[in-house]
Amino acid sequence: MPIILHIETATKVCSVAVSCDGKLLSEREKAGTQDHASVLTLFIEDALRRAGIGLVQLDAVAVSGGPGSYTGLRIGVSTAKGLCCALDKPLIAVSTLHALCFSPSLAAYCAERPEALLCPMLDARRDEVYTALFDENRNQIKPVSAEIINENSFLQTEEKRGIIFFGSGAAKCKRLMSPSPDKIFAEHIEPSAANMIPLAEKAFAENFWADTAYFEPLYLKD
């Protein structure tokens, strides 16, 4: 029954969650913030207090490993590393885009189009997004990349299965891509530490740790 602290700071959402055996115990979250550095440790303390968990009881610390905001990722990863070093606990790195696929808000869209592919998108400014592609079982079928979106983006892919687009970059892409009934745009889906739980649990069960000393987030851009 692993107890895991989850930290998500890759975007404007600052989010912390505590889970035990794959179940959410508590969370603290604030969207649209730029003050991750000042609130993250407070969120961690409060989430642990609400869960009735002490730091020494943690079995691992999971952190959103990108892609995303350079500053946000540095804050989350450095905090997670500090906790792991101080507590002698393993570090788990979770893909920000993969975790987005586990948002509960996606359930209704997936129920309507169960065969559709999942395409999380994070805004990378201008007409560019950080994105990847996953099948209906949340298995990654296209690697993470930074892509400039235009009217022809994803045309060949959507003709086969349909695609559900979501995340902070999806709204921007909706106006750039040619309209199609096979393009489904899910709204109000943002990164959250609670979404990391299934992936962190799997990594913990498989002893798939990140190297606490040398792990670096996936920035994609210089």
Side-chain angles (χ1 to χ4, degrees):
M1 295 177 58
I3 300 173
I4 303 177
L5 173 68
H6 309 264
I7 298 173
E8 168 59 80
T9 58
T11 65
K12 293 181 179 180
V13 178
C14 184
S15 179
V16 173
V18 180
S19 69
C20 179
D21 199 25
K23 297 180 180 179
L24 177 66
L25 297 182
S26 67
E27 63 181 326
R28 279 298 310 271
E29 190 167 284
K30 183 179 180 183
T33 182
Q34 298 286 356
D35 56 350
H36 293 356
S38 62
V39 302
L40 180 56
T41 54
L42 298 176
F43 281 9
I44 292 172
E45 292 174 1
D46 194 40
L48 289 169
R49 179 184 59 80
R50 292 184 182 189
I53 300 295
L55 278 171
V56 294
Q57 294 175 268
L58 294 174
D59 294 298
V61 178
V63 66
S64 182
S69 158
Y70 177 86
T71 302
L73 287 170
R74 294 300 293 178
I75 291 169
V77 169
S78 61
T79 301
K81 282 186 173 185
L83 288 170
C84 289
C85 289
L87 301 169
D88 193 23
K89 304 294 183 180
L91 176 69
I92 299 172
V94 174
S95 164
T96 308
L97 292 170
H98 200 174
L100 261 178
C101 295
F102 289 87
S103 171
S105 301
L106 270 178
Y109 297 94
C110 293
E112 290 183 7
R113 293 291 296 269
E115 78 288 354
L117 300 176
L118 304 177
C119 187
M121 290 179 159
L122 296 178
D123 192 352
R125 299 184 180 179
R126 298 184 180 177
D127 294 339
E128 193 171 16
V129 296
Y130 300 132
T131 188
L133 207 57
F134 300 83
D135 66 18
E136 68 275 19
N137 296 315
R138 274 73 173 170
N139 297 313
Q140 188 166 340
I141 59 175
K142 184 180 178 181
V144 175
S145 62
E147 294 194 18
I148 297 174
I149 302 300
N150 56 51
E151 62 180 7
N152 296 317
S153 297
F154 298 97
L155 276 180
Q156 293 182 339
T157 307
E158 77 179 53
E159 292 172 355
K160 300 176 183 178
R161 309 271 299 269
I163 306 181
I164 302 174
F165 298 96
F166 52 96
S168 60
K172 175 173 67 177
C173 293
K174 186 176 183 178
R175 63 176 177 79
L176 294 172
M177 290 191 288
S178 57
S180 165
D182 290 321
K183 293 190 180 83
I184 303 101
F185 289 87
E187 298 181 348
H188 310 301
I189 297 178
E190 297 288 346
S192 172
N195 298 340
M196 298 167 57
I197 294 175
L199 294 172
E201 283 286 323
K202 184 175 185 294
F204 187 91
E206 296 174 354
N207 294 329
F208 191 68
W209 319 127
D211 188 310
T212 304
Y214 296 104
F215 172 73
E216 289 290 332
L218 177 62
Y219 296 118
L220 285 185
K221 292 184 177 183
D222 292 334

